[in-house]
Amino acid sequence: LYRALLAARWRFFIDHRGTDITQAVTADAERAGETVGYLLRAIAQTASVTIYAVFAITISPAASAVALAGGLVLALLLRPTIRAAHRTGEAMTDASIEALALVTRHVEAMKLVKSYGAEERTAQAFGSVADRSAQSAIDATRTHARAHVATIAGSATLLGVALYACGRLLHLDA
């Protein structure tokens, strides 16, 4: 990534803020590394799910079909919640990028700020961005928590309905 940056034409540096380039070289490079980890975990989990699915279908194709249908219904019901979680996560990322850009600009201009006595105005500008960043983190945490609770509640409800239906089918009236 850094070599690509060194090979970039002058126009690239004119068209992009230095803070955006710094963000790309640091945080985005870290994110790319994390993505590889997520991909490897997804491959391992896919293999596990495939093995479990083969066992489940072998043991009871009907129960497997009911579980799959219930999972699909749950996924459809939770789509708006999951989308909201993605939106707040993106907003949090954008706010973090904005905060990093502002901090970088402020540090680079600190001598100028001090020479003009503009510390208070600079502090207010930074406070506003910091507040937005903090609020976006709070919003993202709340939304992700709601999505998590909704997923667990939906799964528990689905399990309860499936157990009740199985009990009725087997005439296990309580």
Side-chain angles (χ1 to χ4, degrees), residues 59-117:
I59 293 169
S60 176
S64 299
V66 169
L68 179 62
L72 291 173
V73 167
L74 186 60
L76 288 173
L77 290 173
L78 292 175
R79 260 180 108 174
T81 304
I82 301 301
R83 283 185 180 151
H86 283 287
R87 281 192 305 274
T88 57
E90 288 172 359
M92 186 174 81
T93 298
D94 292 344
S96 296
I97 290 170
E98 182 185 4
L100 175 64
L102 188 65
V103 167
T104 303
R105 283 194 312 266
H106 282 204
V107 169
E108 289 172 352
M110 196 56 70
K111 290 178 185 174
L112 200 58
V113 167
K114 291 194 121 348
S115 66
Y116 283 101

Side-chain angles (χ1 to χ4, degrees), residues 17 30 35 77 80 82 89-90 107 113 116 118 141 146 149 164:
R17 295 182 305 180
E30 183 178 327
T35 302
L77 290 173
I82 301 301
E90 288 172 359
V107 169
V113 167
Y116 283 101
T141 301
R146 278 194 292 270
V149 168
Y164 176 77

Side-chain angles (χ1 to χ4, degrees), residues 44-76:
Q45 289 174 347
T46 300
S48 295
V49 166
T50 302
I51 291 169
Y52 288 140
V54 167
F55 282 133
I57 292 169
T58 302
I59 293 169
S60 176
S64 299
V66 169
L68 179 62
L72 291 173
V73 167
L74 186 60
L76 288 173

Side-chain angles (χ1 to χ4, degrees), residues 31-47:
R31 184 180 287 170
E34 290 173 354
T35 302
V36 172
Y38 289 132
L39 177 63
L40 293 175
R41 277 192 291 276
I43 291 169
Q45 289 174 347
T46 300

